[in-house]
Amino acid sequence: MGPTLRGGTADNLTELYAPVRDELSRVDALLRSQLSSSYPFVDELAKHSFRLGGKRMRPALVLLAARASGTLVEAHYTIAATVELIHTATLVHDDVLDEAKLRRHVATVNSAHDNETSVLLGDLLFAQSLCLMGELDDNRATRALGRAARQMCEGELRQIASRGNFDLNEDDYFGIIAAKTAALTAVCAQLGGLYAGADEGQCAALEGFGRELGVAFQVADDLLDLLGDEGTAGKSLGTDLVKQKLTLPLIRLLATAADSDRRAVVDAILGNGGNRREALRSWLDRSDAVAYAQQRAEAHVRRAISLLEQLPPSPARRSLQGLAEFALWRRT
């Protein structure tokens, strides 16, 4: 059965980050220096994007993987800041795609300004990440992050192509989220170990850990979008339904619904106005779709934790396990 999973909230992230608290402060300082401009309007937008980044989970993943597997070196700070720039760029672009109005309890860039500003700000952040990667002494991170960024974009494009496809199956869904979300968390953990001097087996285990974590995190995020409270989450919810994105609980609901009910479920997803979530709630309550999606997320978390057994026991390894558990039942 494996270890008991505790789940997590944003409140315990401070505790989980304790083994790399000072290092994360250095990464934040580096990000602040990167997210600035001599042009007031651009500077305002860049500083706004710093606030959108939120949890700093990906930089923490780089640093904790390094601490858990070897020696943390100067390159880790550059890599950690780079992955946060890439992640923040994708958030800015995602808000355009989803027409989201709120993130981290503040207005999205597209809401406060417009889509053109958001697209260009995301491009600016990607460009800044390239500049920062160029400061590394070798190109191992550049190659790995380039592959991950390409996979993320491919995953998003695959999801756009699957909108309104009510026959989407679980394999395709997991393929999409493995690319659009888990590719970056996987490379974060991998590069943390690689630059710390971890051996090949440990680097592979860390990469696998990051991938399993990313998949679990996305399943939980999809559940949050369907069932969460916007005031608690601090971001626009229900956007998957508006865009007719089939996520795991909906795929399960459609797959298990009687033929006579399936059309009604599809009609609820297609419904007009902002009550799609409410219209689906009764169908979800009568099915195992939510519990099924939670169980699938838990299975990925258990696999992630099992991969950590290849690392020596340490506070950093315990924090990595805690990050995997945090992915479950998240509300923010």
Side-chain angles (χ1 to χ4, degrees):
M1 185 66 176
T4 300
L5 302 179
R6 297 171 296 171
T9 66
D11 294 338
N12 61 20
L13 279 182
T14 300
E15 177 185 347
L16 293 176
Y17 292 169
V20 291
R21 182 182 298 114
D22 293 341
E23 290 81 359
L24 271 175
S25 294
R26 279 192 59 183
V27 172
D28 261 10
L30 179 54
L31 282 168
R32 288 183 187 278
S33 71
Q34 296 292 312
L35 295 173
S36 63
S37 173
S38 59
Y39 301 99
F41 179 64
V42 179
D43 190 63
E44 173 197 344
L45 290 170
K47 286 178 169 51
H48 185 75
S49 71
F50 180 85
R51 294 192 294 274
L52 293 176
K55 301 179 186 70
R56 302 287 187 260
M57 189 182 79
R58 288 151 191 83
L61 189 53
V62 173
L63 300 173
L64 287 169
R67 187 71 79 197
S69 63
T71 302
L72 204 152
V73 298
E74 199 66 28
H76 284 113
Y77 298 104
T78 302
I79 294 168
T82 298
V83 297
E84 187 67 2
L85 286 170
I86 293 172
H87 172 61
T88 306
T90 65
L91 294 183
V92 173
H93 283 165
D94 281 350
D95 288 338
V96 175
L97 295 174
D98 295 337
E99 300 180 42
K101 306 299 183 186
L102 192 70
R103 184 179 289 280
R104 312 299 183 206
H105 300 277
V106 299
T108 58
V109 177
N110 51 296
S111 175
H113 297 279
D114 50 41
N115 286 347
E116 289 89 346
T117 302
S118 296
V119 169
L120 289 170
L121 175 61
D123 292 347
L124 176 67
L125 295 171
F126 273 123
Q128 193 62 38
S129 74
L130 292 174
C131 293
L132 193 55
M133 277 192 291
E135 296 181 10
L136 294 169
D137 291 334
D138 62 70
N139 63 2
R140 291 177 297 171
T142 302
R143 291 200 304 268
L145 287 168
R147 286 193 298 270
R150 184 193 67 226
Q151 289 170 355
M152 292 165 69
C153 294
E154 287 176 346
E156 290 286 357
L157 287 168
R158 288 173 63 188
Q159 185 165 69
I160 287 174
S162 71
R163 287 179 183 172
N165 176 11
F166 297 105
D167 295 318
L168 187 73
N169 60 45
E170 289 186 19
D171 287 343
D172 288 336
Y173 165 80
F174 279 107
I176 287 169
I177 67 172
K180 78 166 197 168
T181 301
L184 188 59
T185 51
V187 80
C188 285
Q190 177 200 17
L191 291 176
L194 181 64
Y195 280 78
D199 63 38
E200 185 176 346
Q202 289 175 326
C203 287
L206 283 167
E207 182 180 11
F209 167 83
R211 183 170 290 106
E212 298 290 349
L213 165 65
V215 169
F217 194 90
Q218 186 59 58
V219 173
D221 197 68
D222 291 343
L223 282 165
L224 180 67
D225 189 79
L226 191 61
L227 302 171
D229 174 71
E230 282 196 359
T232 303
K235 65 177 182 178
S236 298
L237 298 178
T239 58
D240 289 340
L241 289 174
V242 173
K243 296 296 183 179
Q244 297 178 26
K245 298 178 185 177
L246 269 289
T247 56
L248 184 59
L250 296 180
I251 291 169
R252 175 68 176 181
L253 177 60
L254 288 167
T256 56
D259 290 342
S260 57
D261 294 334
R262 196 174 188 274
R263 184 66 247 177
V265 173
V266 170
D267 288 342
I269 297 172
L270 293 172
N272 295 321
N275 63 346
R276 291 179 179 87
R277 294 204 305 167
E278 290 75 12
L280 282 166
R281 187 62 63 96
S282 62
W283 294 104
L284 290 168
D285 288 344
R286 295 198 299 269
S287 80
D288 71 343
V290 172
Y292 177 82
Q294 290 172 334
Q295 289 164 4
R296 292 297 302 267
E298 287 181 28
H300 284 280
V301 168
R302 292 185 191 280
R303 285 197 288 272
I305 292 172
S306 70
L307 287 165
L308 294 177
E309 294 175 3
Q310 297 194 41
L311 304 177
S314 69
R317 192 182 100 169
R318 286 196 298 273
S319 287
L320 288 173
Q321 175 172 337
L323 276 182
E325 292 172 343
F326 170 83
L328 297 176
W329 311 302
R330 44 186 295 260
R331 291 172 173 80
T332 62

